[in-house]
Amino acid sequence: MEITRRLHYVLGPLIALLVMVYFAYHIVQGERGLFSWMRLRQKITESEQQLTEIQAEKETLERRVYLLRPESLDPDMLEERARQVLNFARPEEVIIYRPAGPPA
């Protein structure tokens, strides 16, 4: 009799403690827990940094394209593109050929 009475006094708090430990574990380690939240924040930071870099590259390319449009044609940009595309060089320029391979 005494053992069952003591068991009733201990069993309630023990179950409550186990339930609290279960929920505390999932608050920290769960799929939507603190560690998952920190990983998501890190991914968001990295993605925002990558977005900033891509936007800067896009703006640079848009400026170059703008300089090649007929209404705002830049002669220097036109000459640079023509020389790259047509593989031309001026007579006074020195051309150094590199073997096709990985950079040294």
Side-chain angles (χ1 to χ4, degrees), residues 3-98:
I3 293 175
T4 58
R5 194 175 309 144
R6 283 188 177 178
L7 186 62
H8 285 294
Y9 285 121
V10 172
L11 194 58
L14 181 62
I15 290 174
L17 178 66
L18 290 175
V19 168
M20 286 181 7
V21 167
Y22 173 80
F23 284 114
Y25 172 79
H26 284 286
I27 285 172
V28 175
Q29 292 285 341
E31 184 179 317
R32 296 187 177 124
L34 292 175
F35 289 141
S36 294
W37 180 76
M38 290 187 320
R39 280 193 300 271
L40 275 174
R41 293 300 307 160
Q42 179 65 29
K43 284 183 181 180
I44 288 171
T45 303
E46 290 172 0
S47 296
E48 286 174 346
Q49 181 181 9
Q50 186 178 18
L51 175 64
T52 303
E53 292 172 2
I54 290 172
Q55 284 176 338
E57 182 180 350
K58 178 186 172 207
E59 289 175 7
T60 302
L61 291 173
E62 284 177 347
R63 271 188 259 119
R64 291 181 60 109
V65 167
Y66 177 76
L67 292 174
L68 289 173
R69 288 196 179 134
E71 63 271 2
S72 62
L73 189 61
D74 182 27
D76 293 333
M77 183 63 73
L78 179 63
E79 180 186 2
E80 177 183 331
R81 282 301 297 155
R83 291 172 58 162
Q84 286 177 354
V85 171
L86 299 174
N87 203 17
F88 283 149
R90 292 188 181 138
E92 68 272 3
E93 290 180 335
V94 176
I95 300 173
I96 301 173
Y97 292 100
R98 290 188 187 178

